[in-house]
Structure formats: C-alpha cells, structure tokens
Amino acid sequence: TAPADGFLLRVAVRPGDTVKADQVLVELDDRDLSIERLRWATEAEQEGRQATEALAREDRVQFAVHSAKAQQARAQLALVDAQLTRFRVSAPFDGIVLQGDLTRSLGAPVRSGDTLITVAPAGEYRVILEVDEYDIGRLAGGESGVVSLAASSGAQVPVRVTRVSPTSIVRDGRNVFEVEAQPLASDAALRPGFQGMGRIQAGQRSLWRIVAERPWLWLRQQLWAWGL
C-alpha cells in the first residue's frame, strides 16, 4: 500500500513478474521531502556552529539554547529520512505480482493506504475446492486427492484437505462449501488464479448408491416440503 500521500514516480514491475524480497516495486515522488530534508540539515548545521561559537565565548546560556535547537533539527532530519525510506515500496518476500499495472499511471496522485501492488508468495499455494452441500458431510479434513488444472492438460497435482469451511456460499445457483487443500508437490505449472477439477478420496460406495443418492435426497426433501 501507499505509505503516504504523494505522486507515482517510478514503477518497476507489472502483473506476472517474479520479484525478490526487498526488491523495489514502486517509488513515489519525494522532491518535497528532499527539500524539507535540506532545510533541516542546514538548520542543524547552523545551530551546531553557533553552539560551538557560544562555547568558545564561554556563553553557557547561548550554548544551551543553540544546542537544544540543533538537537531538535537533527531529530526532525531523522524523521524526514525515515519518511524518505518509506517512499520506496519494496516486496516483503519472494513472490509473483498478481495485480497492480501502474505503468500508465505515472505522475498520478495516491493517498496513504491505497493498494498499489498485490504480491503472492512464491511456491506457497493453496487450493480452494468448491464442494456441493450434498457431499460436504463426507469431508472432515486430512483427506487426500488430486487436482487437474485446465491450463496444464493431463497434469495432476496431489493435494491434502487442510480445512473445511463451516459456512456455504452460493455459486452458479447452488450452495457450495469452500474446502482448503495444500499441494503435496511443487509444480512449476502452478500459478495463482488457475482453475480446474478436483477429486478427493472420501471413502468407497457402490455405483448404484452414487447414482441414486442425490435424486433420492432431493425426492425426500420435496416430500417433506409437501407434508408427505
């Protein structure tokens, strides 16, 4: 996020780029702060020189006054230096840029807290499986399975269920539960946002039960709704 109000000066990355920890992603225009830094640095030097002259004259009062002013100026200078370092937004870890194409927004104003770049950690993926409400009762966590990604036809990534969401969401007119799974193998083909199909091992059932179970559950629900 933007560390302070300012204007975009330089953008070093675009979505899809891989970045290293501490790599500079975005720089804000710091000319105003640079001028303020120069002012405080000059004032600290002047007050320090006057304090030295007062000490040479053995004027303790003026020495104390100019020493205090010099110390205050140096404190303000340190504050400005800290703010200047924040005008360079760096990557907190190795990862890949997901969002934030700011190359056409150079010179545009930004407000403190505005989202500039979205970075995902490299290699630390999680898989979100959407499981129908009729099947969620068969998952408790720890089950293994495989995921086939649409972007890499034929490639299967082994996964293990780590968390089952306790609440459902509506997706394409049906209730589904989000189930988190952890990939068990590093795959260079994995990218954030990929979609595909997943298959989780949740026990064994006979074929006729698999085919008839959902229609039977639906029929039972309808009969109950009709009071039968």
Side-chain angles (χ1 to χ4, degrees):
T1 59
D5 296 347
F7 297 88
L8 287 175
L9 177 64
R10 187 176 296 106
V11 179
V13 296
R14 299 178 62 185
D17 293 345
T18 56
V19 296
K20 297 294 184 180
D22 299 326
Q23 177 181 339
V24 176
L25 308 179
V26 178
E27 294 185 34
L28 302 183
D29 193 345
D30 58 2
R31 284 176 291 186
D32 292 341
L33 273 181
S34 298
I35 294 174
E36 185 177 355
R37 185 189 187 283
L38 179 61
R39 180 172 68 86
W40 287 116
T42 303
E43 183 173 341
E45 183 180 358
Q46 291 177 350
E47 294 296 340
R49 184 169 57 251
Q50 292 181 12
T52 302
E53 294 173 356
L55 181 62
R57 298 193 307 269
E58 297 184 355
D59 188 345
R60 295 184 178 181
V61 175
Q62 290 299 317
F63 172 75
V65 171
H66 291 297
S67 295
K69 290 184 178 179
Q71 185 176 2
Q72 181 182 7
R74 285 192 290 269
Q76 292 292 337
L77 180 61
L79 178 61
V80 172
D81 285 339
Q83 291 176 337
L84 282 172
T85 59
R86 295 175 57 206
F87 268 52
R88 291 173 176 83
V89 181
S90 303
F93 40 68
D94 296 350
I96 181 172
V97 179
L98 299 185
Q99 297 177 354
D101 189 356
L102 304 175
T103 54
R104 298 183 181 181
S105 302
L106 296 180
V110 295
R111 299 295 298 266
S112 176
D114 286 351
T115 300
L116 301 177
I117 301 287
T118 302
V119 181
E124 297 182 11
Y125 296 105
R126 65 174 180 174
V127 177
I128 304 297
L129 301 166
E130 295 179 355
V131 180
D132 193 276
E133 60 182 342
Y134 288 106
D135 298 323
I136 195 62
R138 305 185 184 280
L139 298 180
E143 294 85 359
S144 60
V146 293
V147 171
S148 177
L149 302 175
S152 54
S153 178
Q156 294 184 349
V157 180
V159 297
R160 176 175 289 113
V161 174
T162 58
R163 181 178 182 272
V164 179
S165 174
T167 58
S168 65
I169 59 176
V170 178
R171 188 81 74 211
D172 298 330
R174 61 191 183 97
N175 287 340
V176 297
F177 287 79
E178 290 189 344
V179 175
E180 294 184 13
Q182 184 71 32
L184 299 180
S186 58
D187 192 332
L190 285 176
R191 287 292 185 275
F194 274 4
Q195 295 185 352
M197 299 291 292
R199 185 174 64 227
I200 302 299
Q201 299 295 335
Q204 295 183 349
R205 290 176 294 167
S206 60
L207 180 60
W208 72 265
R209 185 174 179 181
I210 295 175
V211 174
E213 184 174 31
R214 286 197 182 185
W216 169 242
L217 290 175
W218 177 86
L219 180 59
R220 285 181 57 186
Q221 188 176 37
Q222 295 302 315
L223 292 174
W224 178 86
W226 295 336
L228 300 177

